[in-house]
Amino acid sequence: MIFDFHTHIFPDAIAKKAIPKLASICGCPNMTDGTLADTKSKMKEWGVDQIAVMNIATTPTQHTSVNNWAASIQQNGILCFGSVHPLAEKSIQELQRIHELGLKGVKLHPDYQEFMVDDPNLFPLYEEAAALHLPVLFHTGRDPLSPTLVHASSERMAKVAELFPSLSIVAAHMGGMSTPEEAEAFLLGKKNVWLDTAFISHFLTPQQASSMMRRHGLEQILFASDCPWSSSRQEMEFLEKCGFSSQEMDMILGQNACKLLDMPCNPEEITLQ
């Protein structure tokens, strides 16, 4: 099964404004128009069976509507992570509501939400997410929005992993967008950290990626694209150059994600319609 663990979709009206704005910030062409319909169409074309949609509450008043929308689009083949804003009132209660809504985890983006990942003010959120068995996916490394200030460095992320060993952490972009040396130094081998492959074809070589993944442990690697900023097809083709066996590819492309989310890994039961 091919499970793209890191994608972005927006409500139709928001996508029309958000995609051009974000494309301008990141300097990347978009592979979809950011809508549910176009994303599903492209994913079917790319041979993807299952996607996880990462939603981000960028203001303290936004997370309720973001999570309601995320819950509304969950369907066969599409799972959603919710989001909370660290500065929002009742953020702990919103984490509990994410769990009640049946969302599969939490996405935090320290750059867009303006916090340092090891800020003690976030620790109650991490504790509650761990208690609710909600994996937390963090943008890690550099981001075009904040090119000179890295809010989630690999070193800071490693500190959080050590302080909260029962928290399942997904460190996106192989533990650090465009900062692989730091990811190698601080994150590889952390038992409660999964690394996703989102966008890595843009800043790693296959040799670098293969070495990092094997050192970390292939059972802790999650296939991801960061669609619409890269395509699932491009990131799969990159993985095929890394020299993995078919069994190892099966783990990375879907089995690890299913295990993390405690769900069956049967493509015959999943369809992107």
Side-chain angles (χ1 to χ4, degrees):
M1 184 175 78
I2 298 176
F3 189 154
D4 189 332
F5 201 83
H6 187 154
T7 70
H8 299 281
I9 300 175
F10 304 86
D12 289 3
I14 293 176
K16 292 178 181 179
K17 298 178 180 179
I19 292 296
K21 180 179 180 180
L22 292 169
S24 176
I25 291 171
C26 70
C28 292
N30 47 292
M31 302 295 107
T32 75
D33 66 8
T35 64
L36 177 62
D38 191 46
T39 301
K40 288 199 295 184
S41 175
K42 292 295 196 314
M43 290 293 172
K44 289 174 66 178
E45 178 185 329
W46 298 333
V48 175
D49 303 296
Q50 177 81 58
I51 66 173
V53 180
M54 299 296 148
N55 298 280
I56 307 167
T58 56
T59 68
T61 59
Q62 196 181 51
H63 61 201
T64 299
S65 60
V66 165
N67 294 328
N68 287 345
W69 183 78
S72 76
I73 68 164
Q74 280 208 134
Q75 55 191 264
N76 193 16
I78 297 178
L79 302 176
C80 291
F81 276 41
S83 188
V84 295
H85 196 287
L87 299 180
E89 294 183 6
K90 299 183 178 180
S91 56
I92 296 294
Q93 290 89 332
E94 189 64 18
L95 267 183
Q96 295 165 348
R97 201 173 74 88
I98 284 172
H99 184 261
E100 293 167 1
L101 286 169
L103 300 177
K104 302 304 179 182
V106 181
K107 168 67 185 287
L108 295 178
H109 199 309
D111 298 272
Y112 280 88
Q113 296 178 313
E114 299 183 322
F115 68 90
M116 304 305 285
V117 72
D118 59 348
D119 183 341
N121 289 319
L122 275 291
F123 290 179
L125 286 177
Y126 301 158
E127 290 175 354
E128 186 64 18
L132 293 169
H133 303 289
L134 288 171
V136 180
L137 186 145
F138 295 85
H139 173 91
T140 56
R142 295 194 177 98
D143 189 273
L145 182 71
S146 176
T148 61
L149 177 61
V150 179
H151 292 79
S153 69
S154 303
E155 184 174 9
R156 292 179 184 272
M157 198 76 260
K159 177 182 175 182
V160 172
E162 291 165 3
L163 288 172
F164 300 93
S166 62
L167 177 65
S168 295
I169 293 170
V170 180
H173 315 296
M174 284 301 290
M177 174 79 84
S178 299
T179 59
E181 295 83 5
E182 189 177 5
E184 286 188 284
F186 293 103
L187 275 180
L188 297 193
K190 297 292 184 189
K191 297 302 182 184
N192 59 326
V193 175
W194 282 254
L195 305 180
D196 86 19
T197 69
F199 207 74
I200 65 171
S201 68
H202 297 259
F203 64 90
L204 290 175
T205 67
Q207 293 75 22
Q208 287 174 310
S210 176
S211 174
M212 290 180 70
M213 292 181 199
R214 290 193 182 281
R215 282 186 56 201
H216 186 61
L218 295 183
E219 70 282 357
Q220 301 285 109
I221 305 297
L222 306 169
F223 171 67
S225 66
D226 205 16
C227 181
W229 312 118
S230 188
S231 73
S232 307
R233 175 175 290 166
Q234 179 174 343
E235 301 303 329
M236 279 189 279
E237 289 174 350
F238 177 85
L239 275 181
E240 289 168 358
K241 299 175 183 177
C242 291
F244 298 123
S245 69
S246 59
Q247 183 178 7
E248 290 168 337
M249 286 288 283
D250 287 345
M251 290 170 56
I252 295 168
L253 288 174
Q255 292 172 4
N256 293 340
C258 294
K259 184 176 180 180
L260 174 60
L261 298 182
D262 192 23
M263 58 176 283
C265 196
N266 184 356
E268 296 180 359
E269 299 178 1
I270 298 170
T271 54
L272 276 166
Q273 299 178 347

